[in-house]
């Protein structure tokens, strides 16, 4: 579990699984968690920043983690990208996030919510918006709606990406100025001829391109002009 806080989820989880590891940044909460939840089951508490934590080190080779958490809304995107880099040791992820973020994660091409986060997540995970959670579920009530989402890492054959760093650079560049066409936003990375050779209209905008098309474009461009 990421960010257990005062143990709202932890208390129910620890008695329902064989072993629960929690990563908590706030050292003042570690003792409270141990006192409240450790007697309920096999709990290991790690006082650390999840963005610097060796998540895959929690399981032997070949085993996978099930990751859960009420992620801090202000740093949810960096956490998601951090987890994507370690998706090989993750079976699935279940998170509560701001509803607006969950809608972006599962958006379709042509939707105004479709963007960099969408493409990066859907290139590596199956995204399922499970249910919404209203402000009344919290004390004090926030000013935003929340939602629960499931992320299931894909295998390498479902969306083939030759160079993930190059792919990430291309996606970021394509969405850096959303109103520009691909011809203009990606002119430093891929030629119009390469786009047309793949059947991609250079006059499209990034938000109109399927995730798999982004992958094909990045794969072709990387082979022609690989990054330094």
């Amino acid at each position: 579990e990421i960010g257990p806080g005062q143990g709202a989820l932890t208390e129910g989880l620890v008695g329902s699984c064989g072993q629960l590891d929690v990563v908590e940044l706030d050292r003042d909460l570690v003792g409270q968690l141990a006192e409240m939840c450790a007697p309920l089951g096999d709990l290991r508490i790690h006082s650390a920043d999840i963005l610097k934590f060796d998540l895959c080190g929690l399981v032997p080779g070949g085993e996978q983690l099930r990751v859960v958490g009420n992620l801090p809304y202000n740093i949810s995107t960096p956490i998601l990208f951090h987890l994507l880099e370690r998706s090989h040791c993750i079976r699935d992820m279940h998170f509560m996030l701001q509803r607006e973020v969950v809608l972006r994660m599962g958006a379709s091409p042509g939707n105004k919510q479709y963007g960099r986060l969408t493409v990066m997540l859907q290139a590596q995970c199956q995204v399922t918006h499970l249910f919404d959670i209203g402000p009344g579920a919290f004390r004090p009530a926030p000013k935003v709606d929340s939602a629960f989402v499931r992320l299931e890492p894909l295998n390498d054959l479902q969306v083939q990406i030759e160079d993930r760093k190059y792919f990430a650079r291309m996606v970021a560049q394509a969405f850096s100025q959303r109103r520009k066409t691909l011809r203009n936003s990606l002119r430093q990375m891929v030629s119009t001829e390469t786009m047309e050779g793949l059947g991609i209209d250079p006059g499209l905008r990034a938000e109109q391109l399927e995730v798999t098309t982004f992958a094909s474009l990045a794969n072709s461009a990387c082979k022609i002009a690989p990054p330094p």
Side-chain angles (χ1 to χ4, degrees):
E1 181 187 1
I2 297 173
Q6 297 182 359
L9 290 181
T10 315
E11 192 170 8
L13 289 171
V14 70
S16 303
C17 57
Q19 177 178 294
L20 178 65
D21 288 88
V22 298
V23 182
E24 175 55 55
L25 179 61
D26 189 340
R27 294 180 180 179
D28 293 336
L29 293 174
V30 169
Q32 179 180 327
L33 284 166
E35 181 179 351
M36 180 176 69
C37 300
L40 302 176
D42 188 357
L43 177 69
R44 298 193 302 185
I45 301 174
H46 307 271
S47 180
D49 181 348
I50 188 60
L51 295 177
K52 301 176 182 177
F53 187 71
D54 179 16
L55 201 66
C56 293
L58 296 176
V59 288
E63 293 189 19
Q64 292 184 305
L65 295 165
R66 308 195 74 182
V67 184
V68 301
N70 295 333
L71 299 187
Y73 290 178
N74 60 323
I75 59 167
S76 59
T77 298
I79 291 176
L80 290 170
F81 283 152
H82 178 75
L83 294 172
L84 285 180
E85 295 175 358
R86 291 147 184 83
S87 61
H88 61 280
C89 70
I90 296 175
R91 173 180 165 185
D92 56 27
M93 298 171 269
H94 290 80
F95 298 128
M96 184 174 70
L97 295 161
Q98 188 173 337
R99 183 173 183 272
E100 178 185 343
V101 174
V102 173
L103 291 177
R104 285 166 51 203
M105 292 164 64
S108 300
N111 189 306
K112 64 180 181 179
Q113 293 160 325
Y114 187 84
R116 178 189 174 216
L117 178 64
T118 317
V119 175
M120 293 303 298
L121 281 173
Q122 292 186 20
Q124 297 186 59
C125 296
Q126 174 68 41
V127 179
T128 306
H129 180 168
L130 296 174
F131 54 85
D132 295 332
I133 306 166
F138 305 91
R139 295 291 183 275
K143 296 181 180 180
V144 297
D145 288 331
S146 302
F148 210 64
V149 65
R150 176 169 62 232
L151 303 175
E152 299 172 276
L154 304 173
N155 63 53
D156 291 339
L157 297 179
Q158 289 172 280
V159 179
Q160 297 185 43
I161 299 173
E162 302 293 337
D163 187 316
R164 294 196 179 276
K165 289 185 178 179
Y166 192 83
F167 175 78
R169 282 178 53 206
M170 177 171 283
V171 173
Q173 181 62 35
F175 284 101
S176 62
Q177 293 179 290
R178 294 181 64 100
R179 302 310 300 166
K180 284 191 174 184
T181 62
L182 296 172
R183 176 188 291 108
N184 293 322
S185 63
L186 295 178
R187 65 180 182 275
Q188 300 299 325
M189 298 189 72
V190 58
S191 69
T192 298
E193 291 74 23
T194 297
M195 294 185 201
E196 292 175 338
L198 293 169
I200 300 170
D201 180 359
L204 294 176
R205 295 187 175 93
E207 65 195 41
Q208 298 172 281
L209 225 58
E210 297 274 356
V211 173
T212 51
T213 307
F214 261 115
S216 297
L217 184 58
N219 291 344
S220 295
C222 187
K223 291 175 182 177
I224 296 171

